[in-house]
Amino acid sequence: MKTWILAGTLGVCALLANAQSLPDSQTVTIPGGRLHTIELPAHKHFMSPEAFGQFRGAYELSNGQVLYLRNAGAISTIMYARIDDQDEHRIIATDSDSFVALDRQLAIRIDLRDNGGVGGEVLMQVPAEKLASGAIVPAHVQSLSLAAR
């Protein structure tokens, strides 16, 4: 009898542990910083072209790459981001200082400081890569900080 109770308890515990360890296939979680995931919000945050204007421009990232933010025109609410010469990603605002790419390849937070400085971070989906040695680096999310504007 004790064996059956112990086996049942262990089985339930194993199921609960397995359910907790299965990641949501639509979310990528990164420790540290304020940005933790690259995910689309349930509701986007409306940002006017004037509000986005303070974010337009180029930002140097901690790895030496450059993040560029632009909108399609002076009166357009369609916003884009790209890193270096890579493809552009259409982005939406998720908060007054945060953006996410509709293709879930980028998440961006930009802190505009009163002294003119800039802080923030970028989460970037990096595709799988085959090295010269034949080893494969799996796809992963890279967290970068903004170095300067």
Side-chain angles (χ1 to χ4, degrees):
M1 178 77 169
K2 290 180 187 176
T3 306
W4 286 106
I5 293 173
L6 181 61
T9 303
L10 289 175
V12 169
C13 289
L15 286 174
L16 290 174
N18 188 36
Q20 289 178 352
S21 66
L22 294 175
D24 180 0
S25 65
Q26 299 300 311
T27 303
V28 180
T29 304
I30 301 297
R34 281 185 34 202
L35 286 178
H36 300 288
T37 60
I38 301 176
E39 64 182 30
L40 294 173
H43 303 287
K44 74 177 188 174
H45 175 84
F46 175 76
M47 182 174 286
S48 69
E50 296 80 23
F52 182 68
Q54 65 185 339
F55 296 104
R56 272 192 310 242
Y59 300 86
E60 186 178 342
L61 300 175
S62 57
N63 68 351
Q65 292 180 300
V66 178
L67 168 70
Y68 298 95
L69 297 178
R70 72 171 188 91
N71 56 346
I75 60 170
S76 177
T77 57
I78 300 174
M79 303 170 289
Y80 297 94
R82 72 177 164 88
I83 295 178
D84 286 343
D85 294 330
Q86 297 175 17
D87 293 337
E88 276 192 322
H89 304 273
R90 184 167 174 194
I91 59 173
I92 59 170
T94 58
D95 202 347
S96 61
D97 65 351
S98 301
F99 308 89
V100 67
L102 292 176
D103 62 5
R104 295 181 47 239
Q105 297 298 302
L106 293 172
I108 304 162
R109 181 182 55 82
I110 300 175
D111 298 326
L112 300 175
R113 300 185 180 131
D114 292 337
N115 65 4
V118 176
E121 59 189 316
V122 173
L123 296 182
M124 174 175 60
Q125 182 70 33
V126 178
E129 176 182 16
K130 186 172 183 177
L131 303 177
S133 66
I136 295 178
V137 178
H140 62 282
V141 174
Q142 183 175 8
S143 179
L144 303 165
S145 61
L146 296 181
R149 182 174 189 174

